[in-house]
Amino acid sequence: MLDKTADNGEFKYVGTRPQRPDGLDKVTGRARFGADMVMPGMLVGKVLRSPHAHAKIKSIDTSAAEALKGVKAVITADDFTIDVPEAEYDTMVNCIAHGKVLYDGHGVAAVAATSQAIANKALKLIKVDYEVLPHVTDVEEACKDDAPLLHDNIFTEGLDEAPTTPSNISGRVQFGHGDVEKGFADADTIVERKFRTEATHQGYIEPHACVGNLSADGTGELWCCTQGHFMVRNSCAAILGIDISRLRVTASEIGGGFGGKTTIFIEPIALALSRKAGRPVKVVMTRDEVFRATGPTSSASMWIKIGAKSDGTITAMEGLLKYQGGAFKGTWVSLGCMTAFACYRADHMKTVGYDVLVNRPRAAAYRAPGAPMAAFAVESVVTELAEKLGIDPLEFRLQNAAKEGDQSSYGPKHRAHGLIETLETAKAHAHYDVPLGPNQGRGIACGFWFNFGGETSTSLNIGADGTVNISVGTVDVGGSRASMCLMVAEELGVPYEKVRCVVADTSSLGHNDTTDGSRTTFASGMALILSARDAKQKLCARAAKIWEIPEEAVEWVDGHARPAGPNAGEFDPMSLAEIAGKAETTGGPIAGHHEYNARGAGVSFATHMVDTEVDPDTGRVTVLRYTVIQDAGKAVHPAYVEGQFQGGAVQGIGWAINEEYIYGEDGRLQNPGFLDYRIPVASDLPMIDTVIIENPNKGHPYGVRGVGETSIVPPMAAIANSVSAAVGVRLTELPMSPPRVLKAMDDAKA
Amino acid sequence: MSQIHVQTTINGDETEFLCDAEETLLDALRDKLGLTGAKEGCGTGDCGACSVTVDGRLVCSCLVLGAEAQGREITTIEGMANGDELHPLQQKFLDHAALQCGICTPGFLVAAKALLDHTPDPTETEVRYWLAGNLCRCTGYDKIIRAVMDTAAEMRGA
Amino acid sequence: MVKVNLWGSLKARAGGRNAIEVEAQTIRQMFRALGEEEPGLVPVLETGISVAIDGQIYRDDWFKEVDEDSEIYLLPRMEGG
Amino acid sequence: MRFEAPSTVEAAVSLLAAESGMARVLAGGTDLLVQMKSGMSEPDLVVDIKRIEALHEITEEDGGYRIGAAVPGICLGEHEGVKTAWPGVVEGTELIGSTQIQGRATMVGNLCNCSPAADSVPAMAAAGAVARVTGPDGTRDVPVEQIAAGPGKSNLAKGEMVESVFLPARPAHASDAYLRFIPRTEMDIAVVGCGVNLVFDQDGLCIEARVALGAVAARVFIVPDAAEALVGTQVDDAALDALAAACSAAATPIDDKRGTVEFRKKVAGVLARRAATIARDRAKGSA
């Protein structure tokens, strides 16, 4: 599959750093995001949300709200279809509570009115009679036998014997190989520890927003900010009981997602309100709603045990992970279990995970979902074990790093990847030798993520002037349109500026999976390369017709059709523009397309290195220096690859030091705003240095691996290792906020 | 209740609009005047995505009432380029890939311009503190800071 | 015959086995054969599952060929951010 | 809701006094608008005082400075006179929020919002600042630490507003400092705040000290024991230890989303020590 590599110097456009196609609109304020769309006759929609963590809805009286002048529709769970497919049922119930509210912020009812003020007033007129139930928001508490039960129809899956009583533990998973007992028996030194992490939010700056317009006959359109408009279409159609073909969804520019916009929240509500009111309805979440009702991560309680021989060989690795996924079943703990030990080789590995239900919003994906917390725990123990053995933590990682052919923690043998290169690069990096001052520490950590392929459909159309339009169905979250244009320019041999990329609506392309799993540049990129090859074949055929020679006698070289050899005839090469200009007379429009379920995604590894300083009197952690080294396979647009590395690292810094969901005794979220949900600000940070490793993925024509997610996996562990080194105490809970660090230091002194 | 009639200057143009007493300047700009470049990220002055200047002072337009704009001079991201000529900051943001999703970009540009108008030769620390009220979740700020520093250097040289 | 390795928690559904050998040329045939051999696996196979063949992960890809030399692991369906 | 923007203090006071429902003064609006958005405050009348010219002024008076209620943080920070005389008060005010917030938020607004964590108030209290309160019954001067009755509640009567704050004349060999603790470097509410104002004699002996703490009780308050620890000393290490102990002991904080009791008590002492060191060095540097 790998057709081009950097080594043979074949790339002309891929690997350069041109201006992005959507850049001008974004620096001038013209780019249209979710909340920027206006439709004629549009109403304002607002959602009434539960003030209780757990309560039965005894009744909802909407009559006063309906009677208010300017109110055009009020909806509750009764307005949604009953026979929703199982796969979408939880999604629907998460959008609007059915019979019971499961967390503070759970949607209960919604209104559409002629103004924001009237809509807000109407919400206050809706009378909900709640029977408040006991609640649980802590993952360990929820596992106890006497914990308040969220669902009486959930029984733990994955146990050897099917349970007979319902539980907040929705499932048990297990991965691994070998026999860890034997492995630990072979170990000379063993470290085991417990860890806790608190939930974090993706923290995108753009709140969820959409405008829906649905007619009584089930024909509709929806404009929204999402990572996957095809997913939005399919889910909304299922929940509203309408045909997929009748709903056209257009993805707006998206103001950040990081996994949090891979599901729906307000979209079916806007459409249901619109259907009832007979007018378009716009719903825009407030920041408070974003925090209370949309996708945080799991919080976790973990136990990790690793043993090694005195020569530094790891003999066994074992982990127990409990992740809460909010009020609904999730799969995040599986990913934590699979990735936890993925950076290492050991004959004996075992991870057991529990998916736990609590009265919190349904956990959504967040950049390498499930992996960062596990990595925090594992990489902390790896460093501690190395220190106990008297081996440099970086050397210890090099010694035990998983290589091609080693059996992975999640099952299959590793294929070629760049983990060792990231570690070697870290060792050789200037950062590694910077001397440290008092109260300072250096930490390193490695991270792994799978990266995905998935369903993808693209098209490519050649204009009469020789310019190229490409359409993708994967939302551009961070500059992927530039990468798409680069790959098509490379393949067709036309200048980057002659290629333009749009994210097409759901009626214009075949189904596309969501922009998630670091798949877009890989999967849409490969589909476009294949679309371009399809078009090249047609361009050659047209040239053959013009020259009146057989198709096989024409080849495509450097943006031109040429006779394939001396026997093909003497013709001057024809450019793409020349052939395109004759398209009308040679058979009509020239286009290429490709639809597939992309195979061949390449995993990605990273090593992060960080220096911190801790204020010994307040426990405050300052990040002094940070370096990200990650395998990108092939960096199509290196500036945006660096951007992914830097952005992931800084999100990880936030997770490590200050970000957390804080619940009160009443089960209500205490910090639903950017004031007290503390994401890093510019003055908190140093520059984030990056090194791009290019160990090509053999599953992609140019060697591309996904890059978006791996960068959030190592930071918390790297910072924990750094802070622990600085203060001489092992930090085992996130976030490492000042009170927690100071307490750990004081406890150690006592 | 009848609405308030506000006469103001926006990006050099005399403008008038009607607004409710509790309506913010941000809502007036976006909903009444179609100037959607300023974004609402939080509504509480914590993210800076709605940054504009009022009589030359950098503010969060979500924390200004529309009625307060009476007789003031407002500038927004839409007034930053001179026709088809980008402000150097806008160009540098493109050159340095200082945006990913772009939702925070208008606010950063307006805030950074206010900084350079005020301090043409800022240190990295000054840039970071000046821009601390503008949240970016995509970039880790690295390329934004570089773009601002590079613009300042170029503008001083020009 | 191809050898299909199961992840830990599937063991309980597969009569305590870690791996099952079945006759199959494609992923689809493999799923069918697994279901016939161990009906307890059917619900899991139906909810969507990934397959790693020689370390490469395939999702919803019925007609990918499998052969006797392949290293095959079933994996839960994965989602990303 | 009604919006009014009178041009005199008298007109503003009449409006506030005449309103039968809830009336709120709008200066920078950086607290008021947030409260309105969240539904915490639903005023019937908002009186914008920024059209009152006099309230934008910083004037010299009896060797000190009178700062109008509509002066935003950024203007205070640009005033060389106040910065030189009361650097701690200026740095406290400048710590309120981001650059954007500084373009709007006022010291008086910060005072009248009555948050125990208000950044400008401990420094003002340490400085012995006095608020000028005007209402339907005339004008009175009130020490700033007596403006707040509790979190979000003021001692102002109906129709009253604070029109200015007076910072007294700065004696020789004296200075002040304010420090707060926040988890990030910016954009947070103080977890602990401490203002220290010191006066020394010619021999470098501390003859007067005022120390105020924020965010560790229902209101910003003066710590007399802290002053006692410093007065009569060179503000050396032993005195600073006593100061820190006094501040930690005086703090009666709560556990909340911003910090624990244990943390706040300890950090109150840490900040007091650091702020006193800065104030001492400033005072001695200026001597």
Side-chain angles (χ1 to χ4, degrees):
Chain A
M1 176 58 89
L2 192 63
D3 301 331
K4 290 196 174 197
T5 64
D7 293 340
N8 56 29
E10 282 184 82
F11 290 112
K12 185 170 179 185
Y13 299 103
V14 165
T16 63
R17 300 172 178 239
Q19 190 172 307
R20 58 196 279 169
D22 54 323
L24 196 63
D25 280 353
K26 286 187 172 166
V27 297
T28 53
R30 286 200 294 254
R32 290 180 305 163
F33 289 83
D36 298 338
M37 173 55 94
V38 174
M39 286 189 197
M42 191 174 82
L43 301 170
V44 175
K46 295 290 294 176
V47 180
L48 181 70
R49 297 190 178 277
S50 166
H52 304 295
H54 197 192
K56 197 183 281 177
I57 300 172
K58 290 161 75 180
S59 66
I60 305 177
D61 179 359
T62 60
S63 56
E66 279 160 4
L68 185 68
K69 215 171 165 205
V71 172
K72 301 296 175 185
V74 182
I75 59 165
T76 65
D78 294 342
D79 292 86
F80 291 85
T81 175
I82 295 164
D83 53 345
V84 170
E86 203 187 324
E88 303 287 357
Y89 186 79
D90 283 357
T91 301
M92 174 181 73
V93 175
N94 189 43
C95 291
I96 194 149
H98 280 53
K100 199 169 143 174
V101 292
L102 294 164
Y103 54 90
D104 166 37
H106 199 167
V108 173
V111 302
T114 51
S115 78
Q116 177 96 8
I118 296 171
N120 282 329
K121 207 167 168 186
L123 290 187
K124 291 186 181 165
L125 295 173
I126 298 173
K127 291 184 198 73
V128 186
D129 188 8
Y130 292 106
E131 180 191 330
V132 177
L133 302 170
H135 65 270
V136 60
T137 57
D138 179 82
V139 61
E140 288 289 358
E141 292 296 320
C143 292
K144 292 181 178 165
D145 287 341
D146 59 351
L149 194 65
L150 270 81
H151 303 275
D152 56 16
N153 59 348
I154 288 185
F155 296 81
T156 311
E157 284 174 26
L159 299 180
D160 286 347
E161 277 181 37
T164 53
T165 52
S167 168
N168 288 330
I169 301 172
S170 78
R172 178 190 184 279
V173 290
Q174 185 180 328
F175 296 88
H177 55 259
D179 175 357
V180 288
E181 294 313 318
K182 183 176 180 307
F184 286 120
D186 292 343
D188 297 313
T189 304
I190 292 172
V191 173
E192 64 179 300
R193 272 199 187 274
K194 286 180 179 168
F195 296 87
R196 294 286 303 236
T197 68
E198 201 22 276
T200 54
H201 194 277
Q202 296 81 350
Y204 32 82
I205 308 300
E206 180 197 32
H208 298 260
C210 67
V211 188
N213 191 15
L214 183 61
S215 305
D217 70 352
T219 307
E221 57 180 329
L222 180 74
W223 162 275
C224 64
C225 58
T226 175
Q227 290 176 243
H229 45 313
F230 290 87
M231 168 278 297
V232 171
R233 176 192 63 177
N234 294 4
S235 290
C236 287
I239 289 172
L240 295 160
I242 58 176
D243 292 346
I244 279 179
S245 65
R246 286 185 178 238
L247 181 60
R248 181 162 66 100
V249 181
T250 306
S252 69
E253 292 295 336
I254 177 174
F258 317 110
K261 292 177 183 168
T262 57
T263 183
I264 54 171
F265 298 100
I266 51 173
E267 294 80 1
I269 287 172
L271 288 167
L273 285 168
S274 171
R275 180 162 62 183
K276 203 161 184 177
R279 288 165 66 170
V281 175
K282 179 173 180 170
V283 180
V284 180
M285 276 193 178
T286 61
R287 179 54 56 183
D288 174 273
E289 289 180 281
V290 172
F291 277 112
R292 286 168 66 211
T294 75
T297 59
S298 301
S299 55
S301 174
M302 299 170 286
W303 167 83
I304 299 292
K305 179 177 177 182
I306 305 178
K309 291 188 176 166
S310 51
D311 68 358
T313 310
I314 292 179
T315 58
M317 310 181 91
E318 186 178 5
L320 174 64
L321 313 181
K322 295 175 195 167
Y323 285 16
Q324 60 80 10
F328 300 90
K329 280 195 230 180
T331 56
W332 313 122
V333 77
S334 292
L335 293 165
C337 288
M338 291 162 80
T339 57
F341 299 128
C343 294
Y344 299 97
R345 176 193 63 239
D347 292 338
H348 310 285
M349 287 186 178
K350 180 183 176 187
T351 47
V352 171
Y354 290 101
D355 177 44
V356 183
L357 302 162
V358 298
N359 293 110
R360 295 191 185 210
R362 184 192 195 187
Y366 180 21
R367 217 167 189 158
M373 332 48 161
F376 160 63
V378 170
E379 292 290 309
S380 293
V381 172
V382 167
T383 286
E384 194 176 354
L385 182 57
E387 286 164 353
K388 273 204 167 172
L389 290 163
I391 302 174
D392 177 88
L394 202 160
E395 295 292 348
F396 184 63
R397 284 175 170 82
L398 269 170
Q399 187 181 346
N400 291 288
K403 295 185 199 64
E404 186 173 7
D406 289 336
Q407 189 171 12
S408 71
S409 57
Y410 53 93
K413 291 194 179 69
H414 282 284
R415 290 161 68 94
H417 60 70
L419 173 60
I420 300 266
E421 285 157 271
T422 67
L423 283 161
E424 296 280 10
T425 305
K427 201 169 139 185
H429 197 281
H431 179 165
Y432 193 56
D433 296 319
V434 176
L436 293 172
N439 304 312
Q440 297 181 358
R442 175 163 301 143
I444 62 157
C446 298
F448 161 85
W449 184 246
F450 294 103
N451 301 326
F452 301 141
E455 282 194 88
T456 310
S457 163
T458 59
S459 79
L460 179 156
N461 292 288
I462 294 172
D465 61 353
T467 58
V468 182
N469 274 122
I470 52 182
S471 299
V472 296
T474 43
V475 169
D476 177 354
V477 297
S480 63
R481 275 166 290 189
S483 305
M484 301 300 154
C485 292
L486 281 166
M487 285 185 274
V488 168
E490 188 75 49
E491 197 61 34
L492 291 178
V494 297
Y496 168 79
E497 293 72 23
K498 298 291 181 193
V499 185
R500 296 303 282 186
C501 179
V502 299
V503 178
D505 66 54
T506 54
S507 297
S508 304
L509 282 175
H511 178 82
N512 277 271
D513 283 344
T514 299
T515 292
D516 71 356
S518 303
R519 66 179 287 273
T520 292
T521 302
F522 167 76
S524 273
M526 184 154 67
L528 280 170
I529 290 168
L530 297 171
S531 300
R533 288 178 185 176
D534 181 22
K536 275 198 296 196
Q537 205 169 10
K538 290 170 185 163
L539 287 161
C540 288
R542 297 296 173 92
K545 274 189 182 170
I546 294 164
W547 291 329
E548 298 175 321
I549 61 173
E551 281 181 30
E552 326 61 271
V554 181
E555 62 177 4
W556 192 263
V557 180
D558 199 19
H560 292 74
R562 294 173 194 273
N567 299 333
E570 284 274 328
F571 302 101
D572 287 338
M574 282 181 81
S575 69
L576 186 141
E578 286 173 282
I579 300 169
K582 294 187 174 68
E584 188 182 1
T585 52
T586 59
I590 304 170
H593 62 99
H594 196 77
E595 298 80 27
Y596 68 165
N597 189 345
R599 298 169 172 175
V603 301
S604 170
F605 287 88
T607 297
H608 288 203
M609 181 158 40
V610 59
D611 297 347
T612 61
E613 180 170 328
V614 181
D615 182 334
D617 298 325
T618 66
R620 197 164 171 286
V621 175
T622 302
V623 177
L624 303 171
R625 237 166 262 112
Y626 203 106
T627 304
V628 179
I629 304 155
Q630 185 178 323
D631 180 11
K634 174 68 198 170
V636 177
H637 193 306
Y640 289 103
V641 172
E642 291 163 4
Q644 289 295 321
F645 291 5
Q646 292 164 333
V650 168
Q651 287 183 328
I653 290 171
W655 199 336
I657 300 177
N658 278 314
E659 292 181 32
E660 62 178 320
Y661 262 44
I662 303 169
Y663 279 90
E665 292 284 309
D666 57 0
R668 301 199 66 187
L669 184 62
Q670 301 286 299
N671 58 335
F674 281 135
L675 184 62
D676 286 301
Y677 184 87
R678 304 181 191 99
I679 77 171
V681 300
S683 49
D684 293 342
L685 298 161
M687 292 296 186
I688 307 295
D689 202 2
T690 57
V691 183
I692 302 173
I693 303 295
E694 294 189 325
N695 181 319
N697 167 25
K698 296 195 178 83
H700 184 278
Y702 298 166
V704 168
R705 296 176 191 271
V707 297
E709 292 172 286
T710 307
S711 53
I712 204 172
V713 182
M716 291 108 83
I719 293 169
N721 286 334
S722 164
V723 170
S724 300
V727 302
V729 186
R730 179 53 55 184
L731 275 298
T732 57
E733 284 185 34
L734 296 184
M736 291 174 276
S737 56
R740 199 167 269 152
V741 175
L742 192 64
K743 186 166 188 313
M745 290 160 71
D746 286 347
D747 289 352
K749 272 181 226 156
Chain B
M1 177 155 308
S2 66
Q3 293 198 309
I4 300 167
H5 179 212
V6 179
Q7 289 178 295
T8 185
T9 304
I10 299 179
N11 300 327
D13 298 326
E14 286 178 19
T15 307
E16 48 194 316
F17 59 86
L18 292 174
C19 69
D20 291 329
E22 49 273 271
E23 196 170 323
T24 63
L25 175 59
L26 176 61
D27 286 341
L29 290 170
R30 291 179 55 84
D31 300 340
K32 301 283 162 66
L33 302 169
L35 295 170
T36 55
K39 309 297 180 189
E40 179 162 321
C42 66
T44 51
D46 295 307
C47 80
C50 64
S51 295
V52 302
T53 64
V54 176
D55 288 348
R57 293 278 187 214
L58 181 66
V59 301
C60 287
S61 59
C62 75
L63 294 186
V64 179
L65 291 176
E68 291 183 72
Q70 174 65 37
R72 306 290 188 201
E73 294 216 6
I74 317 280
T75 62
T76 70
I77 184 63
E78 286 88 349
M80 195 158 171
N82 182 8
D84 64 353
E85 189 191 328
L86 293 181
H87 185 278
L89 274 165
Q90 293 172 307
Q91 187 58 50
K92 289 292 182 194
F93 267 55
L94 295 174
D95 296 344
H96 284 266
L99 57 146
Q100 282 178 34
C101 79
I103 192 88
C104 68
T105 309
F108 266 99
L109 287 166
V110 168
K113 181 174 180 298
L115 168 65
L116 299 188
D117 288 348
H118 177 271
T119 313
D121 190 9
T123 63
E124 183 191 326
T125 302
E126 283 175 311
V127 176
R128 287 187 179 276
Y129 275 87
W130 183 277
L131 295 176
N134 291 84
L135 299 182
C136 171
R137 191 61 157 170
C138 294
T139 65
Y141 305 102
D142 183 296
K143 293 183 191 299
I144 293 174
I145 304 300
R146 287 179 201 278
V148 175
M149 299 291 288
D150 189 22
T151 309
E154 187 181 278
M155 288 177 76
R156 287 195 306 276
Chain C
M1 294 290 268
V2 294
K3 183 180 165 195
V4 186
N5 294 286
L6 311 179
W7 78 85
S9 28
L10 287 190
K11 223 168 115 178
R13 294 177 173 273
R17 286 188 284 174
N18 286 323
I20 301 176
E21 291 204 16
V22 294
E23 199 68 61
Q25 267 86 49
T26 63
I27 288 180
R28 186 191 196 183
Q29 290 171 1
M30 185 179 90
F31 281 0
R32 214 181 263 154
L34 284 171
E36 283 164 11
E37 178 99 12
E38 286 294 348
L41 289 173
V42 172
V44 181
L45 297 170
E46 281 177 353
T47 58
I49 206 163
S50 301
V51 183
I53 302 173
D54 296 324
Q56 191 77 65
I57 296 167
Y58 299 87
R59 193 167 78 169
D60 306 323
D61 205 342
W62 274 4
F63 305 111
K64 170 68 190 168
E65 319 75 42
V66 292
D67 61 49
E68 288 189 13
D69 302 330
S70 304
E71 180 212 49
I72 301 168
Y73 274 84
L74 299 189
L75 298 171
R77 190 188 165 87
M78 292 184 270
E79 296 167 71
Chain D
M1 186 186 109
R2 266 187 321 138
F3 173 85
E4 299 285 352
S7 55
T8 64
V9 171
E10 294 68 31
V13 167
S14 310
L15 283 162
L16 292 168
E19 175 58 44
S20 59
M22 183 200 278
R24 294 289 303 264
V25 173
L26 170 67
T30 53
D31 288 312
L32 178 60
L33 264 70
V34 175
Q35 291 163 12
M36 282 164 58
K37 175 147 292 188
S38 70
M40 245 175 74
S41 178
E42 294 180 326
D44 301 288
L45 170 70
V46 163
V47 179
D48 181 4
I49 58 168
K50 290 191 294 299
R51 305 275 167 183
I52 306 171
E53 280 304 319
L55 300 190
H56 286 276
E57 289 172 7
I58 301 175
T59 46
E60 282 195 57
E61 186 180 310
D62 299 335
Y65 291 96
R66 182 164 294 284
I67 293 145
V71 174
I74 202 160
C75 291
L76 192 68
E78 287 166 359
H79 194 282
E80 288 305 324
V82 182
K83 254 168 51 178
T84 308
W86 295 101
V89 173
V90 174
E91 67 202 0
T93 306
E94 285 189 318
L95 283 173
I96 303 167
S98 61
T99 318
Q100 285 85 339
I101 300 297
Q102 282 291 305
R104 293 270 292 173
T106 68
M107 199 164 84
V108 169
N110 195 228
L111 174 66
C112 294
N113 187 49
C114 297
S115 162
D119 276 313
S120 69
V121 180
M124 277 197 277
V130 176
R132 177 151 296 169
V133 178
T134 300
D137 301 330
T139 293
R140 59 192 176 110
D141 285 343
V142 180
V144 290
E145 62 273 22
Q146 291 171 23
I147 291 291
K153 287 199 187 84
S154 84
N155 286 317
L156 298 180
K158 180 156 179 66
E160 282 189 328
M161 60 175 272
V162 175
E163 62 171 282
S164 65
V165 160
F166 178 69
L167 293 169
R170 165 65 78 194
H173 315 299
S175 196
D176 67 335
Y178 173 76
L179 288 176
R180 66 166 179 192
F181 182 84
I182 55 171
R184 292 182 289 189
T185 51
E186 272 283 358
M187 303 307 290
D188 291 329
I189 301 289
V191 179
V192 182
C194 181
V196 178
N197 178 29
L198 303 176
V199 185
F200 292 87
D201 67 10
Q202 279 178 329
D203 305 321
L205 213 62
C206 180
I207 52 170
E208 199 185 320
R210 277 171 73 87
V211 177
L213 289 175
V216 290
R219 309 190 300 169
V220 171
F221 65 100
I222 299 283
V223 187
D225 288 351
E228 211 163 288
L230 300 176
V231 171
T233 75
Q234 299 273 358
V235 187
D236 51 14
D237 277 348
L240 290 168
D241 286 346
L243 163 75
C247 286
S248 290
T252 55
I254 53 166
D255 276 326
D256 70 3
K257 61 192 171 189
R258 293 173 188 148
T260 59
V261 168
E262 184 189 3
F263 180 78
R264 284 182 154 129
K265 282 180 82 77
K266 177 160 183 185
V267 172
V270 172
L271 290 192
R273 174 182 249 286
R274 290 179 182 179
T277 306
I278 296 168
R280 178 196 69 193
D281 294 348
R282 279 178 180 162
K284 294 197 170 172
S286 71

